[in-house]
Amino acid sequence: MSDSRQLLEGKVALVTGASQGIGRACALALAEAGAKVALGARNLEKVQEAAAEAERNGWLALPLRLDVADAESVKATVDAVMQAWQKIDILVNNAGITRDNLLMRMKPEDWEEVLQTNLKGAYHCIRAVLPFMVRARYGKIINIVSVVAQAGNPGQANYIASKAGLIGLTKAVAAEVASRNITVNAVSPGFIETAMTEKLPQAVKEKILSMVPLGRMGKDREVAYAVRFLASDEAAYITGHCLNVNGGMYMA
Ligand SMILES: NC(=O)c1ccc[n+]([C@@H]2O[C@H](COP(=O)([O-])OP(=O)(O)OC[C@H]3O[C@@H](n4cnc5c(N)ncnc54)[C@H](OP(=O)(O)O)[C@@H]3O)[C@@H](O)[C@H]2O)c1
């Protein structure tokens, strides 16, 4: 078993949606394990704060303004990481949004925005980093999906379609790039304490919690540890997998 502080020594990672919550926790966990980490999100100030926390610990972090829904912004971000560190070993597609409503009331723009960010955003990012990973014959791509993509949930058709699509994308790309020593996996969080779940009504939170055998919400760092494992060579023989971090909420 490797020391987690050296697990990713010499590696370069890009984490999307790293300004807060799970993405921020992933960036810090990867940096703690020795990786140089580029953090991207639309709110540059918050990304800079997250990067400053990494730097206070003596880790290398690069804050970047990134909108995953915009292919040009993704390209500029990947170029900036390549310019700074000449490679990208790890990509964590974490950026995600919700626009919940019952399907019959869901506006086309809410459908579009969620699919554009959660699914097309990951496509943009994977497409932008793959040429460098293929050339290096090395890469780890981790897509953050969701338990609701596996179990279903009313009021989240756009979100679930995007995350179920991302599970499919994970498997398709895993099969395409395995021969280049690139692994592609998904991490599927359950009910995690972040801004995304904070905004849910108390009654909804209690109902969800009653479905969690471990009896509590997860922590962002508990998702980050699973991501860190899949980003490491300890997971070298795992690809096309969806790893649940859900307290037993959905078992498959
Ligand atoms: N919390 C949970 O219980 C839970 C459960 C299952 C799955 N997840 C998934 O885990 C991921 C992180 O969720 P979270 O709970 O940490 O959510 P969060 O606190 O709302 O954070 C979402 C992050 O995504 C970024 N983001 C949103 N749109 C973006 C865009 N177009 N380009 C770049 N960055 C963008 C946000 O930053 P900016 O607004 O600054 O861009 C923020 O950093 C999401 O994919 C979510 O679907 C969460």
Side-chain angles (χ1 to χ4, degrees):
M1 179 67 76
S2 328
D3 180 341
S4 71
R5 279 162 302 178
Q6 294 161 7
L7 206 56
L8 302 176
E9 208 62 64
K11 299 288 192 275
V12 172
L14 168 61
V15 181
T16 73
S19 59
Q20 62 183 44
I22 292 169
R24 185 179 196 274
C26 287
L28 293 174
L30 297 176
E32 184 189 31
K36 297 177 203 167
V37 180
L39 299 90
R42 292 166 303 176
N43 186 329
L44 183 58
E45 209 171 296
K46 285 179 73 179
V47 178
Q48 283 168 334
E49 280 168 26
E53 181 171 343
E55 279 160 1
R56 277 195 294 278
N57 287 297
W59 308 327
L60 275 176
L62 178 66
L64 297 164
R65 208 201 83 79
L66 164 67
D67 180 354
V68 296
D70 173 1
E72 286 305 310
S73 170
V74 171
K75 186 182 177 308
T77 297
V78 168
D79 287 350
V81 182
M82 288 302 295
Q83 196 173 357
W85 293 323
Q86 291 76 51
K87 63 174 185 167
I88 299 180
D89 301 296
I90 300 160
L91 167 67
V92 182
N93 281 313
N94 164 82
I97 57 167
T98 52
R99 295 286 180 272
D100 295 352
N101 214 335
L102 293 172
L103 185 82
M104 283 176 64
R105 292 191 202 137
M106 189 172 283
K107 297 192 189 107
E109 52 269 32
D110 287 341
W111 175 270
E112 292 295 337
E113 199 185 345
V114 168
L115 268 290
Q116 187 76 20
T117 303
N118 299 4
L119 183 55
K120 200 164 182 189
Y123 156 78
H124 287 146
C125 293
I126 293 171
R127 202 151 180 260
V129 302
L130 262 186
F132 302 111
M133 289 183 172
V134 166
R135 210 168 302 148
R137 293 284 192 276
Y138 188 92
K140 312 273 185 197
I141 297 173
I142 298 120
N143 298 320
I144 305 299
V145 297
S146 172
V147 65
V148 292
Q150 299 159 292
N153 196 35
Q156 295 198 294
N158 49 359
Y159 182 74
I160 291 175
S162 73
K163 294 296 188 176
L166 193 47
I167 294 174
L169 181 67
T170 301
K171 294 178 186 178
V173 182
E176 285 186 19
V177 298
S179 65
R180 308 303 158 103
N181 193 34
I182 300 166
T183 63
V184 188
N185 290 290
V187 167
S188 185
F191 190 33
I192 311 297
E193 271 174 45
T194 69
M196 186 177 272
T197 48
E198 179 58 37
K199 63 187 178 200
L200 293 172
Q202 192 56 30
V204 175
K205 283 191 201 172
E206 279 164 24
K207 188 171 169 234
I208 300 174
L209 213 45
S210 73
M211 298 188 292
V212 182
L214 281 178
R216 64 172 177 85
M217 294 178 77
K219 310 268 184 216
D220 51 17
R221 65 171 182 277
E222 292 173 312
V223 179
Y225 296 149
V227 169
R228 180 160 80 186
F229 165 64
L230 290 171
S232 78
D233 288 332
E234 290 184 348
Y237 202 55
I238 302 175
T239 197
H241 183 70
C242 180
L243 178 54
N244 295 339
V245 184
N246 64 22
M249 194 176 168
Y250 178 82
M251 301 187 188

